[in-house]
Amino acid sequence: MERYNPRKIEERWQKKWEKEKTFKVDISASKKPFYNLMMFPYPSGEGLHVGHVYAFGGSDTFGRFMSMRGFDVFEPMGFDSFGIHSENYAIKIGKHPRQLIDDTTTYFREKQMKRLGALFDWSHQVITSESNYYKWTQWIFLQLFKAGLAERKKAPVDWCPSCKTVLADEQVIAGKCERCEAQVVQKELLQWFFKITKYSEKLLKNLDWIDWSETTKSMQRNWIGRSEGTEINFPVQGRALQIKVFTTRPDTIFGATFMVLAPEHDLALKIVSANNKAKVEAYVQESKNKTEIERTQKSKEGIFTGRYCINPVTKKPIPIFVANYVLMGYGTGAIMGVPAHDSRDWDFAKGHKLEVIEVISGGNIQKEAYVGEGKLVNSGKFNGLDSVEGIRKISDYIQSNKIGKKKTNYHLRDWLISRQRYWGPPIPIIYCDNCGTVPVPEKDLPVELPYLKNFKPTGTGKAPLAQDESFIKVVCPQCGKSARRETDVSDTFLDSSWYFLRYPSAGLDELKNAGPALLPWDPRVTKKWLPVDMYIGGNEHAVLHLMYTRFITMALHDLGFINFEEPFKKFRAHGLVIHGGEKMSKSRGNVVSPNEYIDAYGADTLRMYLLFLGPYDRGGDFSDRAIAGMHRFLNRVWNLCTKVIEKNSKSSDSQLLKTLHKTTKKVEEDIENLKFNTAIASLMEFLNEMVSKEEKLNLALVKHFLHLLAPFAPHLTEELWEKTGEKDSIHKEGWPSYEKKFLEEGRVTIVIQINGKLRDTLEAHRDIKKEEAVRLAVDQAKIKSYTLNKTIKKIVWVEGKLLNLVI
RNA sequence: GCCGAGGUGGCGGAAUGGUAGACGCGCGGGUCUCAAAAACCCGUGGGGGCAACUCCAUGAGGGUUCGACUCCCUCCCUCGGCACCA
């Protein structure tokens, strides 16, 4: 008998599938394909690691299952090859990014991805750093610009001193750069933003109906951070000015004993008294130079402006301060200080010896701020109200007396997309002294990224492209006079925010032959193939890629380019493969490459081993200790099936048939729910039963079993399928159905409990009645010993399953 | 602090109201072998018992129920996310 040799058979089938285009989706078919998407990789480091195999393997197993169920599964793959991650790696190894991407995409694709045995359709490959792709990334920028959704404005932004570029809010993690973990600093700069905040409400609301992992949805809800409250105007004493504050607790306004402005607030330096001017200016300047982390120290310090404003309900003057703990980026950049009922204000008031007035009863405000609910006190005509009611009544009062209005705020900020780096699509904008900011005409796209020898970040706040005069110098497309190009490139998350729209149309002959295309996609194809049916990926992109993509899709929908506003019908987050207790990463040096495992055991074993680690949404710790166990399983499958095929036995067994159908149901339901670990376990159980009844096996049963295993182990099953004499691919065979008659057991085991504890079991026909079961049970010696001289007080009967006697 | 997911044998995990520990790893014993590896077979939560068997056990404590890993309450711990969001 031939031995299981994964290396040989996997290579053979991969070649055959590629040559015969076995899994290519027919673009002209009338049926809508099943669009099975997985997150494309950054081709930056040494290669794919087993975490990628986990992500791709799970997604592909699902795709193969859907394919067997009769769908035309479209499973594209590509490379997210623009961006800081690739550029930084190029700098590190001393290569030009262009060269790095050429080398690594080839290596990833040919030496790693093609060895996984996935359905990837490489004829639709997308590489984001190629001009035939980023031309359209620039096109999307122009559409948003024309619609007023892209805006250049001066704003305090986060600057990473190590990456030497600005970052979006989402790319700053606890005050540190998402990529290099350097502390970011605040800078006031003129930058390009996408107005994602215009979609705050829709981004939040649609979460109620899209079929996504709850964890991802909850992270997005948190990030959008909707909060309902009231905006209130406080008149400045002695000046014709008002300070606007935002609060979710208008019920506490009678306790507002001071006012605080953020250092960046434009009134801060306007209202300051002559005596305090120098000190306040110094404080504001000092804040500007601090890093995000330094600014978020717990101690509450600030400085008095020498000016007062009037609490609009008590009419009393309250002092105005400037302090770091109030952020310009949220609300109005000013707050009313209510020390009795806000712990930050409490800390601040203690440090500055300010008055603390209790207006909600229920706590001990001498000791700490009371933030809970209670009855209103010291609040004039509102005294005695419950605080929840007080919020409503006082905000009504404020609104009707025109001292403020109700307002909903969001934490979400506009998406800063400028990057002062080289490796990205140049932002397609021209600055002209006559005409101002002029978009590059669509016919002039792409704005090619020139090959810069010295591409490293400059650190001056200017992008590397700013050194290239031949790039910058341009004729204004409106007036024809000389003008200058924008030299920043766009954020890499813009590249990946629309790649799923490109895949179906990528590489299509129809597009090429239709002359100069006007759209990044063929609308007929897009209409039929999109949105994405299933998207699987890591949850680290919950508020990055996944939020940006939803925004871009909504914007393109509202501009009339596509007919759906949510990109992914279904999204499932998979867990993380960790190694040695830590997340796999190059900096930790614990990355595991799949290559050696594929060499030793084959891709089928590696894929299955990873999926068997545990629940797919939880990930697992990669230790190669147990991988041999999975290889053993596939070996046993190989040996048993080969024997049966060679013998071509005709015998059969009714119990085996039952288990086969039960297993079919179980595997089917488990794959649908991405419960790969238990699906594999039930396949193992079935194999164990088959092995123990080897002489009763027949070819039909083995063939049925191979179908169930096919989505997990595509090569092994294809090889054995061929050995049975079949000519077509097993993956083109339908998914086997299970028959109800095999699922129903004729005889069942009834559990007999005494007082809820298992004492005995009873073999009986499944239709056995309660009375009959009780009669038989109390006759059994063991039960008799319990019930002897005892009264049965209660009998609980679960049909065909359980009998509980309470004595 | 807030939001989310968890806590079950030596380990990864299974069981979402009905026989706790499926399946796999590891470990122990055996068959085969000159020997080893591989393969195969048996055993494997803890305590007690020669045994039939029995008691204990799903982070801790309480509750609901004939019956709780599963539902409810209080608390502890771990992981992930956010974090001076007013």
Side-chain angles (χ1 to χ4, degrees):
Chain A
M1 189 176 72
E2 205 183 329
R3 286 189 55 147
Y4 174 42
N5 182 345
R7 233 186 146 150
K8 199 176 115 200
I9 67 173
E10 292 188 358
E11 223 169 273
R12 178 171 160 243
W13 285 108
Q14 284 157 15
K15 280 194 184 132
K16 197 161 179 219
W17 291 331
E18 188 169 358
K19 197 173 140 230
E20 296 176 5
K21 300 189 163 68
T22 314
F23 305 126
K24 192 162 169 39
V25 179
D26 178 8
I27 190 83
S28 59
S30 58
K31 201 162 72 169
K32 185 208 180 299
F34 186 90
Y35 193 162
N36 191 49
L37 184 67
M38 52 198 99
M39 290 181 179
F40 62 167
Y42 304 130
S44 54
E46 291 85 357
L48 297 178
H49 52 73
V50 293
H52 291 101
V53 181
Y54 185 68
F56 300 156
S59 179
D60 182 64
T61 297
F62 183 78
R64 286 184 172 277
F65 170 69
M66 293 307 283
S67 169
M68 289 179 79
R69 290 186 107 185
F71 294 91
D72 289 333
V73 173
F74 177 54
E75 200 172 284
M77 187 42 79
F79 298 96
D80 191 5
S81 49
F82 253 153
I84 297 183
H85 40 265
S86 300
E87 189 182 327
N88 282 354
Y89 190 71
I91 292 169
K92 190 181 153 197
I93 63 169
K95 262 190 193 173
H96 193 275
R98 174 60 63 202
Q99 187 62 45
L100 172 81
I101 294 309
D102 286 349
D103 295 350
T104 49
T105 51
T106 307
Y107 174 73
F108 275 47
R109 186 178 53 244
E110 302 302 326
K111 302 289 178 202
Q112 296 195 294
M113 294 164 124
K114 284 190 178 176
R115 295 188 69 192
L116 298 178
L119 295 173
F120 300 148
D121 183 348
W122 291 105
S123 68
H124 286 261
Q125 175 182 243
V126 157
I127 299 179
T128 59
S129 58
E130 292 192 343
S131 62
N132 67 1
Y133 182 85
Y134 72 72
K135 166 185 179 177
W136 298 112
T137 307
Q138 292 170 335
W139 178 89
I140 285 175
F141 180 96
L142 292 177
Q143 306 315 310
L144 266 69
F145 176 78
K146 284 183 207 160
L149 287 169
E151 181 193 31
R152 196 171 183 235
K153 65 183 177 190
K154 197 166 190 184
V157 295
D158 296 309
W159 168 268
C160 172
S162 156
C163 292
K164 301 185 173 70
T165 179
V166 296
L167 299 171
D169 194 23
E170 287 77 13
Q171 289 152 34
V172 180
I173 312 292
K176 293 182 177 177
C177 171
E178 179 232 3
R179 294 234 57 86
C180 68
E181 298 188 4
Q183 288 193 9
V184 302
V185 293
Q186 315 292 308
K187 281 196 178 187
E188 181 105 351
L189 292 169
L190 189 57
Q191 300 285 309
W192 281 99
F193 290 86
F194 278 171
K195 293 187 180 171
I196 190 172
T197 53
K198 280 210 162 174
Y199 284 87
S200 301
E201 190 58 31
K202 183 166 261 181
L203 285 165
L204 182 70
K205 247 192 168 159
N206 283 8
L207 290 175
D208 292 342
W209 60 265
I210 55 176
D211 181 9
W212 282 31
S213 291
E214 277 307 319
T215 53
T216 314
K217 294 212 268 189
S218 124
M219 279 168 76
Q220 291 208 350
R221 278 194 191 99
N222 262 317
W223 190 260
I224 296 167
R226 183 183 203 270
S227 86
E228 283 182 23
T230 312
E231 241 176 38
I232 308 169
N233 298 316
F234 285 63
V236 179
Q237 201 174 42
R239 300 285 298 266
L241 290 169
Q242 291 201 323
I243 299 173
K244 210 174 250 183
V245 302
F246 174 76
T247 180
T248 53
R249 293 296 302 273
D251 55 321
T252 64
I253 190 169
F254 284 84
T257 54
F258 60 96
M259 159 78 61
V260 189
L261 303 177
E264 295 88 353
H265 200 291
D266 54 4
L267 286 181
L269 295 174
K270 278 188 197 159
I271 55 137
V272 67
S273 74
N275 284 347
N276 298 57
K277 195 166 186 214
K279 275 196 220 157
V280 172
E281 275 175 354
Y283 182 84
V284 169
Q285 196 51 48
E286 196 190 315
S287 300
K288 278 186 180 164
N289 294 334
K290 282 185 173 176
T291 65
E292 180 97 16
I293 296 200
E294 285 166 340
R295 281 188 61 160
T296 52
Q297 291 306 311
K298 287 290 167 219
S299 65
K300 301 278 176 288
E301 279 158 26
I303 191 152
F304 181 44
T305 60
R307 181 76 61 183
Y308 292 78
C309 63
I310 306 295
N311 180 324
V313 296
T314 63
K315 312 291 186 207
K316 282 188 195 158
I318 58 173
I320 305 172
F321 289 81
V322 174
N324 261 333
Y325 84 94
V326 176
L327 309 174
M328 196 58 224
Y330 184 74
T332 61
I335 58 139
M336 61 178 200
V338 184
H341 305 290
D342 181 288
S343 50
R344 296 152 302 180
D345 296 345
W346 196 90
D347 291 346
F348 188 79
K350 285 292 151 183
H352 294 264
K353 309 238 180 328
L354 295 161
E355 197 181 1
V356 180
I357 301 173
E358 179 179 56
V359 290
I360 308 288
S361 63
N364 179 0
I365 60 146
Q366 300 309 315
K367 257 174 58 194
E368 59 181 355
Y370 177 66
V371 296
E373 294 175 10
K375 293 258 181 279
L376 267 65
V377 293
N378 296 323
S379 297
K381 64 175 182 174
F382 299 100
N383 278 340
L385 282 179
D386 186 80
S387 55
V388 176
E389 212 189 336
I391 290 176
R392 220 187 59 232
K393 288 261 164 75
I394 293 183
S395 69
D396 284 347
Y397 171 84
I398 286 167
Q399 184 141 325
S400 57
N401 286 277
K402 306 225 168 4
I403 46 181
K405 57 172 203 257
K406 291 177 189 176
K407 176 95 200 273
T408 302
N409 263 332
Y410 300 88
H411 167 206
L412 186 68
R413 299 194 206 167
D414 279 335
W415 176 13
L416 169 49
I417 61 141
S418 309
R419 293 293 178 275
Q420 290 72 44
R421 295 290 297 238
Y422 167 66
W423 195 234
I427 292 175
I429 289 289
I430 291 166
Y431 302 109
C432 168
D433 289 340
N434 278 340
C435 313
T437 302
V438 180
V440 172
E442 284 177 31
K443 65 174 172 55
D444 294 344
L445 295 180
V447 178
E448 290 263 10
L449 179 69
Y451 188 96
L452 279 195
K453 250 191 165 148
N454 181 17
F455 61 87
K456 287 178 189 165
T458 64
T460 58
K462 289 205 166 178
L465 284 178
Q467 316 157 57
D468 186 354
E469 273 300 316
S470 64
F471 171 79
I472 299 169
K473 274 192 182 162
V474 69
V475 173
C476 172
Q478 279 179 18
C479 69
K481 294 197 175 149
S482 71
R484 299 175 74 76
R485 285 191 192 278
E486 166 70 61
T487 55
D488 284 354
V489 299
S490 58
D491 182 8
T492 178
F493 282 104
L494 181 58
D495 305 324
S496 57
S497 70
W498 73 280
Y499 78 120
F500 68 100
L501 285 164
R502 178 68 180 175
Y503 271 140
S505 298
L508 277 194
D509 292 338
E510 287 97 303
L511 264 184
K512 281 182 201 148
N513 298 335
L518 299 171
L519 286 172
W521 48 78
D522 183 328
R524 293 161 300 174
V525 176
T526 305
K527 203 170 173 196
K528 196 168 82 186
W529 292 38
L530 283 143
V532 170
D533 293 285
M534 174 62 122
Y535 193 24
I536 292 178
N539 220 16
E540 68 271 20
H541 286 298
V543 295
L544 292 157
H545 164 62
L546 288 168
M547 183 82 90
Y548 297 143
T549 303
R550 293 183 63 218
F551 159 62
I552 291 292
T553 305
M554 285 173 187
L556 291 171
H557 168 264
D558 289 354
L559 295 175
F561 291 113
I562 50 179
N563 63 351
F564 50 91
E565 60 181 30
E566 284 291 340
F568 315 123
K569 277 193 212 164
K570 201 164 170 172
F571 170 76
R572 289 293 178 273
H574 62 70
L576 226 53
V577 177
I578 54 173
H579 186 49
E582 281 185 311
K583 185 182 166 177
M584 252 183 236
S585 74
K586 263 151 258 138
S587 57
R588 289 185 183 87
N590 62 347
V591 175
V592 180
S593 160
N595 296 26
E596 54 179 300
Y597 293 98
I598 294 178
D599 288 344
Y601 301 104
D604 287 343
T605 295
L606 181 62
R607 283 171 60 141
M608 285 189 78
Y609 164 67
L610 288 167
L611 295 182
F612 191 61
L613 281 178
Y616 194 53
D617 56 4
R618 244 187 279 170
D621 199 337
F622 184 91
S623 70
D624 54 13
R625 241 179 37 181
I627 194 166
M630 189 55 73
H631 195 237
R632 204 170 299 154
F633 167 70
L634 291 181
N635 243 316
R636 292 173 73 212
V637 170
W638 174 271
N639 291 337
L640 183 77
C641 293
T642 309
K643 267 192 244 171
V644 174
I645 291 164
E646 282 172 2
K647 249 171 63 183
N648 195 12
S649 147
K650 295 279 184 291
S651 56
S652 71
D653 179 75
S654 65
Q655 187 53 48
L656 264 176
L657 214 53
K658 276 180 190 166
T659 317
L660 174 71
H661 284 260
K662 246 168 52 188
T663 306
T664 306
K665 183 171 190 276
K666 172 82 177 150
V667 172
E668 177 176 320
E669 288 170 358
D670 279 355
I671 297 179
E672 270 173 2
N673 297 311
L674 307 186
K675 291 164 80 176
F676 302 121
N677 56 331
T678 49
I680 293 170
S682 72
L683 289 169
M684 288 173 164
E685 267 182 274
F686 186 51
L687 179 73
N688 288 344
E689 190 174 330
M690 285 198 291
V691 167
S692 71
K693 292 181 175 169
E694 200 186 308
E695 71 289 349
K696 291 180 180 166
L697 293 172
N698 61 55
L699 195 57
L701 188 124
V702 162
K703 282 168 107 172
H704 184 142
F705 169 75
L706 287 176
H707 282 79
L708 306 183
L709 184 62
F712 296 96
H715 310 90
L716 170 91
T717 50
E718 189 81 308
E719 179 80 11
L720 288 169
W721 186 247
E722 191 191 49
K723 280 186 187 296
T724 67
E726 295 284 349
K727 294 276 176 285
D728 295 326
S729 169
I730 189 172
H731 305 290
K732 292 286 170 184
E733 293 282 317
W735 183 255
S737 57
Y738 52 86
E739 285 173 51
K740 260 207 172 129
K741 63 174 180 187
F742 292 111
L743 300 181
E744 286 164 358
E745 299 283 346
R747 295 193 70 77
V748 290
T749 305
I750 309 266
V751 171
I752 307 170
Q753 297 181 336
I754 303 289
N755 293 345
K757 285 198 173 177
L758 170 78
R759 291 303 176 201
D760 208 353
T761 58
L762 174 68
E763 300 295 322
H765 190 268
R766 77 182 140 95
D767 293 330
I768 188 171
K769 293 281 168 297
K770 179 180 175 183
E771 293 70 26
E772 174 77 356
V774 174
R775 197 176 54 76
L776 289 172
V778 296
D779 243 21
Q780 298 198 144
K782 219 180 133 187
I783 298 303
K784 225 174 210 171
S785 72
Y786 282 98
T787 52
L788 202 66
N789 300 328
K790 298 270 166 52
T791 320
I792 298 174
K793 287 198 282 194
K794 189 169 179 177
I795 300 167
V796 182
W797 170 243
V798 182
E799 195 116 339
K801 246 184 168 175
L802 174 138
L803 176 70
N804 187 16
L805 305 175
V806 185
I807 57 170

